[in-house]
Amino acid sequence: MQAMPIGVFVSAGPELKDKLQFVKKAGATTVQMHCPPKDARSPEAIEKIKKLLADADIEVTLVFIGFPGESYATIPIVAQTVGLVPKATRAERLTEAKQIGDFAAALGAPGVGVHMGFIPEDANDPEYKEVVKTAQELADYVGKKGLRMHLETGQESAKVLLRFFKDVGRENLAINFDPANLILYGTGQPLEDLKLVGRYVKSCHCKDAAKSAVKGEWGRETPLGEGEVIIPEFIKILKSLGYSGPLTIEREISGDQQLADIKKAVELLKKCKKDLGIGGCGCCCS
Ligand code: MG
């Protein structure tokens, strides 16, 4: 794989075939895929997805774990509903997360991505210890299948994430760095935080955002390059960290505008790579 191949975040739904063809046409070569629901993870369904990927010559670099009942409507609702932190759903979601690990392995992906949810900031909180155990159990399960487990940034500060990362203490643990989330949730400064956790970053979301004027409320996601992340700097820091993983564009809107913004984002990332001398073999690839 060439250094920092460009990718797009897609969902494994009925639109996957068209989406993969679009991704290819836009000039990207990889995808991160949000997992399909339970009833669409049969061996037959997996073979179908593999064929669509092969036909489009697209590589899947991560399968993202998601659960029914999650809502990103407001930040407090995220805290109640998202990931493996909410206690009421933790056990059943851990079981489902393992099944998604099975799906990712069968698909040939090298890892799974997960939003843990709002990790308690107090390391002495008994719930913190339970969440650490949950993450260890999932990391061990997917690790036995040869997969990494990538924790997405944003719902906690980089400092809390780093401590959690060390407390979980598993070799196959990595970070999926989403710079925009730190702005959207108001939890950090993307470029500074990237330097802080950079040695663990094995994947990232190329997403941009502008912060909210009101503390505790969502910031606003923007097309890549139009927010406050400073994308060329973001790529430059990734390079300085020795990062060579995919640059996966995530644009969390739908319809034609989403497609138009992704196309522009691919062009922006190509330019950033070119300006920084990041390419393929140096003679025939770009
Ligand atoms: Mg993200």
Side-chain angles (χ1 to χ4, degrees):
M1 194 193 279
Q2 61 166 273
M4 295 197 207
I6 297 172
V8 178
F9 191 100
V10 298
S11 286
E15 75 290 354
L16 184 63
K17 184 178 178 185
D18 290 345
K19 210 55 185 281
L20 291 175
Q21 292 300 330
F22 163 79
V23 168
K24 185 183 184 180
K25 224 173 137 195
T29 54
T30 67
V31 290
Q32 284 187 5
M33 189 181 290
H34 193 269
C35 66
K38 204 177 276 189
D39 59 4
R41 296 184 215 132
S42 64
E44 297 74 28
I46 291 168
E47 285 312 307
K48 218 170 151 184
I49 295 172
K50 276 173 136 173
K51 186 169 184 320
L52 293 178
L53 287 161
D55 288 350
D57 198 17
I58 299 282
E59 185 176 345
V60 60
T61 57
L62 208 60
V63 168
F64 250 84
I65 293 171
F67 305 107
E70 291 186 317
S71 168
Y72 288 83
T74 64
I75 293 176
I77 290 175
V78 172
Q80 288 162 24
T81 66
V82 168
L84 290 160
V85 171
K87 197 175 181 175
T89 48
R90 192 181 302 149
E92 66 186 79
R93 283 184 174 181
L94 177 58
T95 302
E96 177 151 17
K98 289 176 182 175
Q99 290 164 358
I100 295 168
D102 296 339
F103 167 82
L107 200 60
V112 291
V114 64
H115 280 282
M116 287 302 296
F118 277 81
I119 297 166
E121 290 202 4
D122 179 2
N124 293 314
D125 182 336
E127 274 304 291
Y128 177 82
K129 294 184 169 65
E130 289 303 313
V131 175
V132 167
K133 268 196 230 164
T134 303
Q136 287 171 332
E137 193 174 328
L138 183 56
D140 289 344
Y141 183 87
V142 300
K144 280 185 193 138
K145 294 178 176 289
L147 304 184
R148 281 199 307 256
M149 176 169 137
H150 296 221
L151 305 175
E152 172 129 354
T153 52
Q155 286 151 358
E156 53 286 308
S157 67
K159 218 171 132 192
V160 172
L161 183 68
L162 203 54
R163 186 182 60 203
F164 181 73
F165 197 92
K166 287 178 177 162
D167 287 343
V168 175
R170 292 299 190 263
E171 284 291 314
N172 63 328
L173 208 56
I175 290 176
N176 184 75
F177 196 93
D178 185 327
N181 278 355
L182 298 158
I183 295 172
L184 289 168
Y185 286 95
T187 44
Q189 303 290 337
L191 302 184
E192 289 311 306
D193 289 355
L194 176 59
K195 291 174 196 163
L196 200 63
V197 302
R199 60 195 181 278
Y200 302 118
V201 174
K202 300 277 188 221
S203 62
C204 67
H205 284 165
C206 292
K207 190 170 88 182
D208 214 338
K211 64 176 167 293
S212 169
V214 185
K215 197 173 161 46
E217 283 188 15
W218 278 128
R220 178 177 55 86
E221 191 199 346
T222 70
L224 200 69
E226 296 179 24
E228 296 167 9
V229 170
I230 318 178
I231 295 301
E233 278 300 305
F234 177 61
I235 309 299
K236 196 174 165 184
I237 296 170
L238 284 171
K239 187 189 176 196
S240 73
L241 292 164
Y243 178 88
S244 61
L247 302 174
T248 305
I249 298 158
E250 185 180 37
R251 183 66 174 120
E252 302 195 79
I253 57 171
S254 56
D256 291 345
Q257 191 59 51
Q258 184 197 41
L259 303 182
D261 288 352
I262 290 172
K263 273 191 203 166
K264 277 203 251 172
V266 171
E267 293 312 311
L268 173 62
L269 293 177
K270 278 186 178 171
K271 183 176 183 316
C272 290
K273 285 179 64 176
K274 197 173 169 213
D275 291 348
L276 290 164
I278 303 162
C281 62
C283 59
C284 57
C285 310
S286 61

